[in-house]
Every structure is written in C-alpha cells, then in structure tokens.
Amino acid sequence: MEPFVRALAAFLILSIPLVLALDEHKSSVNGSSIMWTNALDVDDLQSRSANEGIHSTDEEIDGGFNSLDSMLQWAIEHSDPDTLKGAAHASQSLNDTELKARQSAIVELMESMRMPSDADLMKIAIADLQNSSSSFEDRQRALQELLELVEPIYNSNDLHKLGGLVVVVNELNRAEKELRILAAWVLGKASQNNELVQNQLLELNVLPTLMGMVRSSCTEEAVKALYALSAVIRNHPVGQEQFYLLDGTSLLKDLMKDTTSDTRLHRKCLFLVADLAEQQSEFSEVLSKYDPNKDYLMAVVNLLDAEDFDTKEKALMAIHSLTGSSDIAYHLLKHECHIKSVLHRLELQLDAVIQSTNDSDSVKDFLLLCQKIRSMFSNGEEGRSNQ
Ligand SMILES: *[C@@H]1O[C@H](CO)[C@@H](O)[C@H](O)[C@H]1NC(C)=O
Ligand SMILES: *[C@@H]1O[C@H](CO)[C@@H](O)[C@H](O)[C@H]1NC(C)=O
Ligand SMILES: *[C@@H]1O[C@H](CO)[C@@H](O)[C@H](O)[C@H]1NC(C)=O
Ligand SMILES: *[C@@H]1O[C@H](CO)[C@@H](O)[C@H](O)[C@H]1NC(C)=O
C-alpha cells in the first residue's frame, strides 16, 4: 500500500466518529451513506459497510476517492474495530465548539488532499520547463510526466493553451540529447492523430528542427525525431506540403540509402513514404507537383532486399502506395527501377521460405501482395488505374 494511502486511512479511521457526530449536528458534511448509521454503533457500521462492498479497494486506490463518502467507506472497511470504538468514545467527550473546530479542520484537510487534476499536473510540469533555473533532472521529470499526460486527446488539446507546446519545442534545442529525445517523443505523442496539435506545431515551425534531429548520429534521437515528424504530418496535406518544401524527400532518401541506419529508421521512413504517396493521390490538386524522383524510388525499391522481413514488407507496402500515387511514380518504377524483375526475384525468395517452413501464412499474404503489384505493371500502361 502506498504510504500516502496508509496515512490517509489512519487519519480517516480516527475521524470517522467525528464526521458522524458532525452529521448529527446537521453539518455541511452531508453524505447519504453517513445517514444510515449511528456514530456509536461501530460494529454494525463495519459489518454493513463490508456487506455493501460498493467499490473494490484497488479501484479506489488507483482512481483516487471521488467523494468523502467513498473515502469513509474505504477507511471503515480497512479499520480495526477496537480502534474505531476507542475513537468513537473519545469523540463523545467533545463539546459543540470543539466539534465545529474539528469539522472545519477536516473539511480543510479533505480539500487539500483532493487529487490534482491532469490540468494541474500539466501546469506544474510546464512551469518546471519554463523556469530557467530548473535542473536537468527537473526537466527530464517534467517531460516524462508530460509524456504520460498528453496521451488522452482532451489533455493534448489543452497543451498549447497552457503554454506547453512552446516550452516543449524549446527543449528540442537543449544541449543534453536526453532532453531533446524526450521532447520529440512528447510532441509525437501529442500530435498523433490530432489535427489541432499538428496545426499548432506547424505554426511553431517545428519541422526544420525535427528534420535536423532525424539526421543525428544518435540513433535514439533520430528515431524519436522521425516519429515526431511523421506524427506531425501524417494524414495532413498542409504539413506534407511544408515537408516537401523543406526537401523532406531528400532526407527520407538519404536515410533509406544509408545501410548503416537502424532498421527502425528504415521502417519508419517506409511508413512515411507510403503515407505521403497515399495523400498525394488523395489530394493531387495540392500535392501532385511534388512527384517523387528516381533516386527516391530506387531507395525504396532497394529496401525490398533488406535482411529483415519486416522491412521488406514495409517496403512492399510503400511501393504499393507509390504505384497508385501518380503516373510519374508508376512510370519511373516500371521503366527506371525495373520493379517487375525485382518483384519476381522477391517472389522466388518468398516461395523458398514457404517451402521450408510450416508456419507460413503471413509469408503467403506477403507473396500475394507481391504478385498483385507485379501484375499492376504487367497490364500495360493502364495498370495503375486497375489496382
Ligand atoms: C443534507 O441532508 C439532508 C437530509 O437528507 C437534506 O435534507 C439536505 O438537503 C442535505 N443538504 C445538502 C446541502 O445536501
Ligand atoms: C468546550 O471545551 C473547551 C475545552 O475543553 C472549552 O475551552 C470551551 O469553553 C468549551 N465550550 C463550551 C461551549 O462548552
Ligand atoms: C525555479 O526553480 C528554482 C530551482 O528549482 C526554484 O528555487 C524556484 O522557486 C523556481 N521558480 C519558480 C517561479 O517556480
Ligand atoms: C513445424 O516445424 C517444426 C520445425 O521447423 C517441427 O518441429 C514441427 O513438428 C512442425 N509442425 C508440423 C505440424 O508439421
């Protein structure tokens, strides 16, 4: 049990008779479950509350107590009958004035024990980041807290209003890479599937900073920055246009061509390549002028030869999206990247894998997709529209 909860329980056990007595005095502490009992009938009190078993203890500890009632219930269930009787007896000797004084003390304490809301916690973390005297550890802790807090959309929606996005974006420029990594992670989480935050971050011009970090020699920094970058522009044509104008495709091409890159980076790149291609076909009026070039497409095609299966699969998905994204991509893949023979070679590899293993359903799906894409390049020039 948490020390805090233990202390709370001890306090409440001693307060129960007081609160109950106050109730008889028509005090403002007014709870329905307090009404069903008599302050001195402690044995009855305890057995009734145990039978009622309103909430599970774990739930209440995890979620905090949402009322005085539930705190009392909990304390009664967890208290020793003799302690309760002793405390009840002690409270009988108090006169009116003393009871009233205790009452206000209890109410005050209850207020101060109120669990802070997520907004309170975000404000505290943000204040720590705003404070120029905060230490490295303070900042790290604040960012870790925000990482948890921004997960629900109602919190990430509030982050900018509370001044949070600006301070987290500033952390991207810290000398300590641990802070830069955490900050990128927070921004990625906050903007994931959240158009409001995506737009706020684009207005804060976060893309150039993140793109610089993606080129970091520290793999973890590059991975988290690419995660954030992808989250800010995914499914978001306005962000993708900014990305193209900053020559984002060269960045992706370089990463994909770098054979020393971590496979996580390759896979994240391929995921983004596929998303860019899909948005390009969906919003062609805005994005069609950013057609991919041969180098970029070759970098994707070459990852079909990656050693790990997962990367191969992501590369194939990206090619599938690119095939349908524009006529130019289709023609380059067909005539310059010789996609048909590359896919044919891959099919032979996959066939061999299927022969040698008895658990090959996912490989079979992979093979089917491969054949489907190859056939799109076999049906003459209209193949793209037949996909
Ligand atoms: C307190 O409880 C009494 C009795 O149930 C009720 O009449 C009264 O309205 C309640 N007061 C408040 C503030 O809830
Ligand atoms: C209540 O008790 C306190 C201390 O025991 C005493 O000072 C006070 O005068 C008492 N008040 C009344 C109204 O009896
Ligand atoms: C800023 O941080 C320092 C060091 O932790 C602390 O002493 C100070 O109270 C903080 N200032 C504000 C305004 O929170
Ligand atoms: C599947 O292959 C493993 C070894 O690759 C073998 O031990 C196992 O018996 C095979 N299972 C079946 C159902 O053929």
Side-chain angles (χ1 to χ4, degrees):
M1 203 189 295
E2 296 283 328
F4 168 73
V5 176
R6 209 193 304 263
L8 177 63
F11 165 76
L12 285 170
I13 288 160
L14 295 172
S15 312
I16 290 161
L18 290 180
V19 177
L20 296 173
L22 290 169
D23 195 53
E24 288 175 346
H25 284 73
K26 304 275 176 276
S27 81
S28 66
V29 182
N30 209 8
S32 55
S33 68
I34 297 172
M35 297 302 288
W36 47 247
T37 190
N38 171 321
L40 301 173
D41 204 355
V42 174
D43 288 326
D44 185 42
L45 177 79
Q46 196 174 40
S47 66
R48 288 187 66 168
S49 108
N51 292 339
E52 292 201 4
I54 293 173
H55 307 288
S56 96
T57 305
D58 287 349
E59 250 171 54
E60 282 177 341
I61 292 174
D62 287 352
F65 297 94
N66 49 19
S67 68
L68 181 60
D69 251 23
S70 64
M71 282 197 212
L72 281 172
Q73 289 278 356
W74 187 89
I76 291 163
E77 283 165 28
H78 292 80
S79 56
D80 165 49
D82 291 337
T83 314
L84 274 179
K85 279 181 186 158
H89 185 74
S91 74
Q92 282 186 291
S93 58
L94 297 176
N95 64 29
D96 259 24
T97 322
E98 282 170 325
L99 276 173
K100 289 228 167 63
R102 290 296 180 92
Q103 172 197 3
S104 20
I106 291 168
V107 169
E108 218 167 89
L109 208 77
M110 293 293 179
E111 295 270 289
S112 71
M113 282 191 303
R114 185 178 64 93
M115 297 294 173
S117 66
D118 281 2
D120 294 335
L121 294 173
M122 287 203 288
K123 283 180 200 161
I124 295 169
I126 291 165
D128 280 347
L129 295 175
Q130 283 165 338
N131 184 342
S132 58
S133 339
S134 287
S135 64
F136 168 78
E137 286 76 18
D138 292 338
R139 292 178 185 282
Q140 198 174 27
R141 186 176 28 77
L143 287 167
Q144 275 159 351
E145 283 165 7
L146 286 177
L147 192 59
E148 305 281 318
L149 287 164
V150 299
E151 198 130 13
I153 192 154
Y154 50 85
N155 282 345
S156 53
N157 280 344
D158 281 350
L159 192 58
H160 196 38
K161 263 183 271 176
L162 300 174
L165 284 185
V166 173
V167 285
V168 176
V169 167
N170 286 342
E171 295 298 302
L172 294 175
N173 299 312
R174 287 275 157 204
E176 301 94 334
K177 69 170 185 289
E178 291 84 354
L179 297 179
R180 299 197 303 268
I181 292 170
L182 271 172
W185 200 357
V186 172
L187 296 179
K189 256 201 190 172
S191 58
Q192 201 160 30
N193 302 317
N194 188 327
E195 199 179 344
L196 175 72
V197 178
Q198 285 178 320
N199 282 327
Q200 290 165 340
L201 284 174
L202 290 171
E203 266 172 43
L204 292 172
N205 199 25
V206 80
L207 291 189
T209 315
L210 289 176
M211 287 170 73
M213 287 169 70
V214 170
R215 293 189 188 269
S216 165
S217 57
C218 163
T219 300
E220 205 47 43
E221 177 168 16
V223 166
K224 286 297 186 293
L226 185 54
Y227 162 70
L229 178 64
S230 304
V232 175
I233 67 175
R234 179 162 304 150
N235 230 332
H236 196 44
V238 179
Q240 301 202 346
E241 186 159 32
Q242 270 198 30
F243 180 71
Y244 287 120
L245 293 171
L246 292 162
D247 201 15
T249 49
S250 292
L251 172 69
L252 294 180
K253 178 202 68 189
D254 292 347
L255 281 175
M256 290 189 285
K257 281 173 83 168
D258 184 352
T259 51
T260 66
S261 295
D262 191 275
T263 56
R264 282 178 296 166
L265 275 177
H266 281 161
R267 290 197 291 263
K268 281 194 189 328
C269 270
L270 289 167
F271 216 72
L272 187 50
V273 167
D275 184 56
L276 289 166
E278 273 153 29
Q279 297 296 306
Q280 199 166 33
S281 54
E282 199 170 327
F283 299 94
S284 53
E285 65 289 358
V286 198
L287 299 175
S288 66
K289 56 177 173 290
Y290 305 106
D291 267 319
N293 61 27
K294 180 190 165 189
D295 269 0
Y296 175 82
L297 294 171
M298 272 314 289
V300 180
V301 171
N302 285 337
L303 284 177
L304 287 172
D305 289 328
E307 290 199 356
D308 78 297
F309 212 76
D310 209 12
T311 306
K312 277 183 196 294
E313 204 167 8
K314 296 270 185 312
L316 191 63
M317 310 262 215
I319 287 167
H320 185 229
S321 303
L322 285 165
T323 303
S325 69
S326 72
D327 288 334
I328 290 181
Y330 179 85
H331 285 278
L332 286 173
L333 282 169
K334 184 169 185 176
H335 300 294
E336 303 282 330
C337 306
H338 309 291
I339 188 70
K340 272 165 69 182
S341 61
V342 176
L343 289 174
H344 186 61
R345 203 173 64 225
L346 180 59
E347 285 167 31
L348 296 177
Q349 274 177 25
L350 294 172
D351 255 336
V353 173
I354 291 169
Q355 300 305 322
S356 68
T357 162
N358 55 13
D359 175 30
S360 57
D361 280 356
S362 65
V363 187
K364 282 181 185 152
D365 289 345
F366 191 2
L367 179 61
L368 284 177
L369 181 60
C370 213
Q371 289 164 339
K372 177 184 164 190
I373 298 173
R374 192 157 62 95
S375 75
M376 286 156 67
F377 287 97
S378 299
N379 301 340
E381 297 303 297
E382 70 283 0
R384 185 170 98 78
S385 44
N386 285 350
Q387 56 174 305

